Amino acid sequence: MSRDRWTKVDRYVTEHLVGDDPALAAALQANAASGLPAIDVSPPQGKLLYLLARIHGARKILEVGTLGGYSTIWLARALPTDGRLVTLELDPHHAEVARGNVARAGLAGLVDLRVGPALQSLEEIARERLGPFDVSFIDADKANTPEYVARAIDLSRPGSVIVADNVVRDGALVDAHTDSPSVRGNRRLHDLLAADPRVDATTIQTVGSKGYDGFTIALVERV
Ligand code: SAH
Ligand code: DHB
Ligand code: MG
């Protein structure tokens, strides 16, 4: 099985179940025109995030790692009109592109984009008591994924769901002696989740247009 075939299946699923989406297409176009890396979630993955947030009836969503706001748009669309999505981005250029994309999608009123290192922004969010968040999506620098998940747990309520992206990375997750900070981060994530009695979690391997990877999904049972 090849990436070519995984991409064709993603295209098939997208054509059948995701459909044409001018706002999302415009966002990807603006990202490319502005030189952003094409590492957004795929359309079927974006739709999964949207469905999860809808299934959950989420009113408050936290995202760590905005890029051009492609996943932000998917998640914000699941919110009610009085909902809120707080998204954190380190790179001011990414953030500027994302603001444009979110505004063009008609979602500016729901989205609070904060520029800076996510660990700092997360401290502010805790101080401002913006939580608890119903759904958190962690998709920034993978070396810090466990720290972001730990803070997302602190900003949760019983029943909150946390999703972390890019956890499997071509199977590198099982390389115990790796020097890769990303893989070490993803392994620490599993140690943290295994040791935390407040959460229950699993990791799902995926293939698709972005290759072989996977995501972790955690339910916060108590805080
Ligand atoms: N969630 C996006 C993709 C995010 S890519 C989508 O699917 O559409 C990862 C993003 O995390 C990049 O934009 C990168 O600049 C940002 N990032 C990296 N380190 C960060 C940090 N310390 N704090 C906040 N954002 C960070
Ligand atoms: C990378 C980051 C992502 O969030 C992703 O989904 C794919 C790749 C990266 O940094 O390479
Ligand atoms: Mg990602």
Side-chain angles (χ1 to χ4, degrees):
M1 286 301 138
S2 66
R3 175 132 173 196
D4 179 53
R5 196 140 172 99
W6 304 337
T7 300
K8 283 183 178 144
V9 172
D10 259 356
R11 203 172 299 142
Y12 176 90
V13 171
T14 302
E15 278 168 14
H16 282 78
L17 302 178
V18 182
D20 282 335
D21 195 312
L24 288 170
L28 293 181
Q29 227 167 17
N31 289 358
S34 307
L36 269 55
I39 55 175
D40 337 74
V41 294
S42 68
Q45 289 170 340
K47 185 144 188 198
L48 172 64
L49 293 173
Y50 162 83
L51 289 172
L52 270 175
R54 280 194 57 197
I55 289 165
H56 201 278
R59 308 182 69 84
K60 280 201 255 181
I61 298 176
L62 173 67
E63 178 178 65
V64 183
T66 317
L67 189 64
Y70 183 83
S71 54
T72 314
I73 292 171
W74 270 116
L75 284 164
R77 282 177 173 172
L79 287 169
T81 49
D82 62 345
R84 188 174 203 190
L85 184 153
V86 182
T87 184
L88 311 181
E89 175 54 52
L90 175 66
D91 186 316
H93 178 56
H94 294 181
E96 185 196 328
V97 175
R99 273 190 221 288
N101 289 334
V102 166
R104 267 191 299 278
L107 297 163
L110 294 175
V111 174
D112 175 357
L113 197 172
R114 296 179 174 217
V115 183
L119 284 174
Q120 269 178 37
S121 303
L122 286 163
E123 271 177 41
E124 278 170 29
I125 287 165
R127 269 201 304 275
E128 291 174 35
R129 302 193 184 285
L130 294 184
F133 295 95
D134 307 302
V135 171
S136 295
F137 179 50
I138 310 302
D139 190 22
D141 49 323
K142 313 308 168 190
N144 282 317
T145 292
E147 281 68 39
Y148 300 146
V149 168
R151 277 152 188 84
I153 294 169
D154 292 340
L155 292 166
S156 287
R157 59 167 173 82
S160 293
V161 170
I162 301 171
V163 179
D165 196 23
N166 312 113
V167 167
V168 176
R169 284 294 169 89
D170 282 312
L173 182 61
V174 297
D175 295 344
H177 304 291
T178 180
D179 293 330
S180 158
S182 302
V183 177
R184 291 166 73 107
N186 284 327
R187 290 178 62 84
R188 279 199 298 118
L189 169 68
H190 283 75
D191 294 336
L192 175 149
L193 292 172
D196 193 329
R198 300 170 300 171
V199 295
D200 210 359
T202 192
T203 295
I204 295 296
Q205 306 183 68
T206 57
V207 294
S209 56
K210 295 183 71 183
Y212 165 35
D213 209 329
F215 60 89
T216 297
I217 180 163
L219 171 68
V220 181
E221 295 181 311
R222 52 200 163 85
V223 288

